[in-house]
């Protein structure tokens, strides 16, 4: 009796939306037991995986010439601070440049580097480091 009720509800919803065809009806008439599988992110621990990726708009710049880093995050709230790091003598040093994650969960940062040669920079958001980006300073 309940499966008939669910099917009628699904048919009514499909007609109300304007979808016509058996594919639309069968897609909405999913039993409640298979709607949330344990492998889906919504049924997990409740916290999404944090990711932070960054790209540079240029990879060759002059000394102290400005370039931009554009990044995208997931699992991190808007308004979170973004910190810039540069690899110096084998360790990551935090530089004074900062930015903020916007509502679209991305960010942009203007950067100027003074050390000539190949520089590796990255960003850190909520403790999550990004990939390293190579920039050559001439």
């Amino acid at each position: 009796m309940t499966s008939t009720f669910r099917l009628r509800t699904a048919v009514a919803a499909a007609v109300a939306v304007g979808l016509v065809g058996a594919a639309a009806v069968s897609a909405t008439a999913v039993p409640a037991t298979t709607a949330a599988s344990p492998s889906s992110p919504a049924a997990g621990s409740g916290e999404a995986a944090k990711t932070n990726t960054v790209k540079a708009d240029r990879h060759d710049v002059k000394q102290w010439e400005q370039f931009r880093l554009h990044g995208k995050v997931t699992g991190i709230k808007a308004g979170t601070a973004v910190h810039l790091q540069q690899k110096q003598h084998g360790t990551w040093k935090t530089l004074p440049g900062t930015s903020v994650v916007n509502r679209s969960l991305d960010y942009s940062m203007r950067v100027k580097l003074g050390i000539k040669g190949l520089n590796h920079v990255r960003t850190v958001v909520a403790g999550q480091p990004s990939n390293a980006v190579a920039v050559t300073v001439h």
Side-chain angles (χ1 to χ4, degrees):
M1 182 69 118
T2 57
S3 62
T4 307
F5 177 72
R6 284 192 194 129
L7 184 59
R8 286 183 189 159
T9 306
V11 171
V15 172
V17 175
L19 299 175
V20 180
V25 173
S26 65
T28 57
V30 175
T33 57
T34 61
S37 65
S39 64
S40 68
S45 63
E47 185 175 325
K50 294 180 181 179
T51 63
N52 179 13
T53 57
V54 69
K55 295 179 183 178
D57 65 348
R58 288 180 286 172
H59 294 283
D60 289 313
V61 294
K62 295 179 182 177
Q63 191 174 25
W64 300 113
E65 181 181 10
Q66 180 177 291
F67 66 96
R68 281 191 178 269
L69 293 176
H70 300 281
K72 182 82 174 156
V73 298
T74 58
I76 298 172
K77 290 183 179 181
T80 305
V82 180
H83 299 282
L84 176 65
Q85 290 187 337
Q86 180 183 31
K87 196 164 198 177
Q88 296 177 2
H89 306 292
T91 60
W92 289 102
K93 303 291 182 183
T94 302
L95 300 180
T98 60
S99 184
V100 178
V101 176
N102 65 20
R103 290 185 295 175
S104 301
L105 299 181
D106 55 4
Y107 58 90
S108 180
M109 180 182 290
R110 291 181 286 192
V111 180
K112 293 180 181 180
L113 297 174
I115 300 174
K116 287 189 175 185
L118 184 63
N119 287 270
H120 294 280
V121 293
R122 72 178 185 184
T123 59
V124 177
V125 184
Q128 181 66 38
S130 71
N131 55 302
V133 176
V135 178
T136 303
V137 178
H138 302 281

